[in-house]
Each structure stands twice: as C-alpha cells, then as structure tokens.
Amino acid sequence: LLFPWLTHQAPQVRRRTAVLLGEIGDEAGIPPLTAVLATEKEPAVRQAVENGLLALENAPPPPLTVQLLGAFRLRRGETWIAEDAWHRPIVQRLFQFFALHAGQSVSKDQILEALWPDSDPAKAWGTFRTVYSRLRKLLEPARRRKTANRYIEQSGETFRLKADLVALDMTKFERVVTAVLQNHQPESVPPLPKPLLDCLENYAPLLPELPYADWLLEPRQKLADLYIEGCFYTAQAFLARADLAQAVVWGRRTVAAAPWLEEAYQLLMRSYARQGQRTLALKMYDEAVASLQAELNLPPSAQTEQVAARWP
C-alpha cells in the first residue's frame, strides 16, 4: 500500500514513505526503493531512501529451513524454494555443501575439491564464482548486487554459512538421538521420548540422490550409524518394558539397516520367543545365519547359538 507514495508529487510524502518502509523492515521494500533511488532528485528524499535501503539490507533475513535427509528441500521464511528456481543442479549442490558445513569456514580449495574435483583449478574457480552469484541471487532475491550476503559470510576465499540462520533436519536428528543415547543409565529402563521416535521414524539417508559424492560419504555413514544405534536402543527399551510387539518392530528396523548386527537378531529371537512364537524365533535364527554369512562370511557366535538352543 505504501509503494505508490514513493512517487507522490510532494517530496515530504516521498521522504516519509521511505522512512516508514525502512522502519517496517520488510525486504519487499528493497526493489521499489532501489527503483526510486535511480530517479529521485530531491536530496532529502534521496537520503531517506538510502537510509531505508540500509535499514532493510541490515535487518536479519528470513531463516532457512533445510531438509537434507531424503529428498532435498529448502524453505526461506515461509516459502519453499521451487525446484526450477535453482537454474542448474550445481547451484543446488553448492548450497547443499554450504549447508552440510553450516557454521564452519570452508576454503576455496575445499569447495573446488568437493564439487569440481577433476577440473582445472583456475577454470573451476571461475565457474564457482558464477554459480555462487546465482546462489546469492536465489537466497537474496531483493537485494542490490554489491551488498553483502546476509546468509554467507565471505572473507577472501573463505566462506561460512551462518548457523544461526539455518535449521537443518540432520542437525536436529543428531542432537535428539545423541542426547538420549548419552543420557541412558544402563541400570534403568531406557526412556523413549517422543522426539526420539519421531526422528527415527522419519529418518532417510543423507541426500540419496548423490550416492557417489565423496564429500557426503563420511557424514552419511555417521548418520546411518547413529540411526542404527538409535533403532537398536529403542528395540531394547521396548523389550525391557515387555512391549514385545514394538520390540519386534524396532528390531526389524535395526536388521534392515544393519543386517550384520548379530545382537539385533538375538533380541528378535527373544522377543518372538516371549510371545510364544517359537517358529518365528527359529526363523529369525535362520535369517541371522544367512545374513552373517552374506555380510561378514562368518558363522553365528556362540551366544546366538545359545539363544537358539533354548527352542530346539
């Protein structure tokens, strides 16, 4: 409603409108203020427009919500970024790299090695600058060209995505699962807070559409290991509470993700046996034998044999 007043005949109206837009703090005011600045002749109005632009460009930007587990998605404020807004996949890859290292300073060499490992460094650096410019435009669509990026700090050839402006699903997953595992007291029945179950149920691998990206291998494995540990912990907790049906559900989740984890087969055998399902318990033993042979080329341990021997 204020934008038309930027071109009002009276200078004092134009000036006051520019002041109000700066005070409101909505970045949608940047393009019209920028357009007016190109034609405004009145010094007092020009100063008010400049001040309004500075106020808007120095205000905190909308927070970013990033989904890296499973299908990648990015939300800026309340708006999800459309897939076709990325222009090219490499722009998306660059943001994903920054997001994975949110809060960390990453150098030019790290970026080029991750995203352009087989390219000439000079050529790759030129490509990076073009891609980075497109990413900056996507993240800050209203800002003027030569203003600083509010999301990514740059110092020479080092870059840092500000962690306080980014909410990452993988960070939440790590925080919730790790907190429960670290606070567990072996002598007590493990607690099962709802956030833990939600995180485990909604888990998906880290950016599965990039299965061979070297820069994702280590963090992807770290998250997968944490998921396995969380599922097994949950299965043990349900078994300790004598909730045998849920113990089976989470034991199955565990062996689906880690078919080499012998302790999970033992838990499933006990869970079925306590339900009086001897046939299923022995079937689980057969699955353990086959999986251990396929994954590790090893026979089951004496403990697994001992558990199975209870139901000849």
Side-chain angles (χ1 to χ4, degrees):
L1 295 177
L2 287 173
F3 295 163
W5 295 94
L6 286 170
T7 56
H8 193 275
Q9 184 177 359
Q12 64 270 28
V13 174
R14 302 199 300 273
R15 185 188 66 79
R16 184 56 183 156
T17 302
V19 171
L20 284 172
L21 287 172
E23 291 175 348
I24 290 171
D26 189 335
E27 64 179 11
I30 294 177
L33 285 171
T34 303
V36 164
L37 191 61
T39 58
E40 181 60 59
K41 304 299 183 184
E42 181 66 36
V45 180
R46 286 186 61 84
Q47 186 61 56
V49 172
E50 283 280 12
N51 291 342
L53 282 168
L54 287 174
L56 294 176
E57 290 172 342
N58 288 321
L64 301 177
T65 302
V66 187
Q67 180 177 301
L68 295 177
L69 300 179
F72 170 73
R73 297 183 72 195
L74 171 64
R75 188 176 69 198
R76 184 178 187 270
E78 299 302 318
T79 304
W80 289 99
I81 303 298
E83 184 68 25
D84 58 5
W86 291 94
H87 184 69
R88 294 174 57 199
I90 190 60
V91 180
Q92 195 174 89
R93 300 293 173 263
L94 179 59
F95 176 78
Q96 291 166 345
F97 181 83
F98 282 138
L100 190 66
H101 298 87
Q104 306 173 29
S105 294
V106 290
S107 68
K108 162 189 171 180
D109 291 341
Q110 288 176 283
I111 297 169
L112 300 189
E113 177 62 28
L115 300 181
W116 293 276
D118 302 320
S119 298
D120 173 75
K123 183 178 180 180
W125 182 239
T127 303
F128 163 80
R129 286 184 291 182
T130 300
V131 173
Y132 180 71
S133 177
R134 293 190 181 279
L135 175 60
R136 180 187 181 282
K137 181 64 176 175
L138 183 139
L139 294 179
E140 297 271 46
R143 291 171 69 78
R144 292 178 289 177
R145 285 189 59 192
K146 295 187 178 180
T147 53
N149 190 318
R150 291 179 293 176
Y151 293 106
I152 302 174
E153 290 181 338
Q154 181 178 357
S155 177
E157 295 179 348
T158 300
F159 302 81
R160 183 179 72 88
L161 178 63
K162 298 177 183 178
D164 59 330
L165 296 176
V166 182
L168 290 165
D169 59 347
M170 61 171 281
T171 301
K172 177 184 177 182
F173 177 84
E174 290 179 309
R175 182 180 68 252
V176 170
V177 179
T178 300
V180 173
L181 294 176
Q182 289 180 343
N183 293 329
H184 165 53
Q185 300 297 322
E187 66 276 6
S188 65
V189 176
L192 287 172
K194 187 175 184 300
L196 171 69
L197 298 178
D198 289 343
C199 282
L200 294 173
E201 288 173 349
N202 294 321
Y203 170 80
L206 177 65
L207 295 175
E209 71 270 22
L210 300 174
Y212 305 114
D214 289 345
W215 53 280
L216 288 171
L217 296 180
E218 184 176 342
R220 182 182 286 142
Q221 188 60 55
K222 178 182 176 183
L223 288 166
D225 290 344
L226 188 59
Y227 170 72
I228 293 166
E229 190 175 356
C231 287
F232 186 50
Y233 170 92
T234 302
Q236 290 175 304
F238 278 121
L239 182 61
R241 283 186 164 84
D243 189 338
L244 302 176
Q246 283 299 307
V248 167
V249 168
W250 287 95
R252 282 290 191 181
R253 284 179 180 262
T254 305
V255 297
W260 59 86
L261 189 60
E262 195 169 0
E263 293 84 353
Y265 292 104
Q266 296 169 9
L267 179 144
L268 283 165
M269 291 163 65
R270 292 189 178 98
S271 298
Y272 281 127
R274 292 184 189 181
Q275 294 179 70
Q277 301 189 59
R278 172 180 171 276
T279 300
L280 287 177
L282 293 176
K283 182 179 178 182
M284 189 52 54
Y285 168 76
D286 292 337
E287 287 188 26
V289 172
S291 295
L292 292 170
Q293 181 63 38
E295 298 290 333
L296 304 175
N297 195 27
L298 290 174
S301 67
Q303 185 175 4
T304 298
E305 295 284 4
Q306 185 178 4
V307 173
R310 297 177 185 176
W311 310 288

